[in-house]
Amino acid sequence: MTISNAPSWFQALQERARQLYPTLALPDFKRFNYRDWQLDDPAMQPPAALTPLASDDQHFNQQAITYGSAPLQVNLTAEMRDAGVVVEDFATAFTKHGDLLQQYLMTKAVAVDEDRLTAFNLANLQHGLLVYVPENVQLTTPLQLLHLQNSTTASSDFGHVLIVAGRHSQVKVLQQLETRGTHANQFHLITEVVALANSHVTFTGLDMLSQQTTAYLNRRGYLGTDARIDWSIGVFNNGNTIADFDSDLRGHGSDAEVKVVALSGGDQRQCIDTRVTNYAPHSTGNIAQRGVILGRSELIFNGIGKIIKGAHGAHADQENRVLMLSDQAHGDANPILLIDENDVLAGHAASVGRVDEHQMYYLMSRGIPKKMAQRLVIRGFLGDVLSQLPSEELRERMVQVIEGKLKNELAD
Amino acid sequence: MSVLEIKDLHVRINDPEDQASREILKGVNLTLNTGETHAIMGPNGTGKSTLAETIMGNPSYEVTQGDVLIDGRSLIKLPVDERARAGLFLAMQYPVEIKGITNLEFMRAAINARRADDDQMSIRDFLAELDKNLAFLNMSESMARRYLNEGFSGGEKKRNEILQLMMIKPKFAMLDEIDSGLDIDALQVVAKGVNSMAAPDFGTLIITHYQRLLNYIKPDFVHVMMDGRIVKTGDAQLAIKLEDEGYAGLRDELGIKANLVDDDVTEAKSDDH
Ligand SMILES: Nc1ncnc2c1ncn2[C@@H]1O[C@H](COP(=O)(O)OP(=O)(O)OP(=O)(O)O)[C@@H](O)[C@H]1O
Ligand SMILES: [Mg+2]
């Protein structure tokens, strides 16, 4: 599979990925084994589905909709058009903004040869999306990207999203992942966010892939001088998931704030590996993760804070907390600090706990039924991260998704 | 008009530490009609909170004998939330803090849990009722928007229990040491809240150590509990007498073998268990 209009540099890169991937190791996620998911097995990857977009999927408040590898729908606001914001699929971008792609695609954030899954993704790439916010452009309305996985047939989905925020630009991006159809498929998506000097990207991810989907989600930030990325990611997939959320603080004074909220239920297995690396002096990386585990499911939070030698005055802090609602649930919260510099400030907190019986009793003593009391306790547990989300609207949205998923999980 | 009956209630506590299980309530009988106010007094550790918690349905207490009924319907097998919806309310001696849930959403959930799906209280009606009660209890509006009891002072927690009582409007309220830790003004406010509930279809069971509260909330009956039983019942005068004479006199008068925490001070003689 290749993308039309691909110039020779891209074809060469893809060829390299094809050669390389069998020689590279699968990424290692602490305390989580996913080898039997066959994410790197070509035999497990039926070709992309090309079914056109169903008519009920016309979401006009979305700026870009991808539906498997069907043609991208783009619908920019007047503000975005006037500012020269680019939202194009790779096939279009190859001809119109080939230089941008060549400059930033897997050159700053994710490297092709990083591990087997990054190479495998490029080798099999079916569709890509370029978002470019020019220098000094400060968008007021959020840019909404909806990726619909086409599971109306047996097909794998390999996608890439590259977001480049020019110097001094400001943009809010909402990336939403959903599945249409009920086939058991794999979904591979790499999202690179390149935040150039003094830019500010507010990135929200809402992952809602189906139970039949096995997902590999890689989101990576590259931060230039004084750049900032606010990540708020809700991992609400119903299927097995590997989520690799990383930020590289390359620029002096850059700042990554990472908030992750996740829910596992049923027989689901999910691993969320969140890393922030301070390469530059006076950079700041904060991670706050909250996870709830229901049923017989598993959820692992790895929080990795790395401070590289030379990153004087760096700050790195993380808090990973997991709440288990059943005896069969399996969870872990592992803070991993790797610090190679002295004058830094680093801290971590982690906990794995069960629902507090005294809290349940108190709520129920006011007549609140057990399931609802559990929902309240869960919401309370997630509350301090939810309350830090960048907008009220987003908070409401997340709460809605959480309530929806909890309603299913706590139905019995 | 409703009636809450406690019949020959026996309760054990299984101490997870030393395996031993101990009988705390040894046959409590009590009948409480709506329209009445009852007070229970008694030395520390005699089982007053155990009684209230057991009536409410706290799962830590094991009922080995006896029954709790509302209007003849046994509650003893029902979980706590169903008992609450049947009309029971317990203002707890130690209210629990829950971070992340606002007082407001908690109370709204509690009210709506009692209503049918097509009859949920609207936000507007709820807020109107809430504002009225907050004002009545001299509580600031911000208290309702804060997380449930989180960081509340001891007195604020007690006030918040009364706020819940006024919002939920149960048939029977048990108030466990609602006066402990309250300053004089707060005591009056809390009493005012409880008194405002007075109605032919509302009954109160007050657990207290201090006769002073009973100056503000007038009891129809005063019960004295010792060593897991109600040993004496009288009117408001009994509380005044106890305030003067303490429990040792009553214990010896009734010939009960029970240890009082302050035995060494009162110099009363008692046998060891
Ligand atoms: N959950 C529990 N686990 C172990 N022991 C308990 C528990 N609850 C109560 N007890 C014990 O049962 C006895 C009665 O306690 P209870 O709290 O009912 O007393 P009380 O009359 O309310 O005392 P106070 O006036 O001090 O509040 C005490 O000895 C107490 O230590
Ligand atoms: Mg007590």
Side-chain angles (χ1 to χ4, degrees), chain B residues 43-50 53 93-94 176-177 207 209:
Chain B
N44 292 130
T46 46
K48 302 180 300 299
S49 294
T50 301
E53 295 283 355
Q93 188 169 357
Y94 305 107
D176 193 356
E177 296 200 20
I207 295 169
H209 286 294

Side-chain angles (χ1 to χ4, degrees), chain A residues 361-362 364 366-367 376 379, chain B residues 53 85 90 114 161 164:
Chain A
Y361 170 64
Y362 189 70
M364 288 173 70
R366 300 311 185 224
L376 282 173
R379 210 148 24 102
Chain B
E53 295 283 355
R85 295 197 297 275
L90 171 59
R114 291 169 165 73
E161 294 289 286
Q164 292 170 42

Side-chain angles (χ1 to χ4, degrees), chain A residues 231-253:
Chain A
W231 301 95
S232 310
I233 300 172
V235 184
F236 304 130
N237 298 325
N238 288 321
N240 291 346
T241 304
I242 281 186
D244 194 4
F245 301 147
D246 301 337
S247 301
D248 293 325
L249 302 167
R250 295 281 180 179
H252 185 283

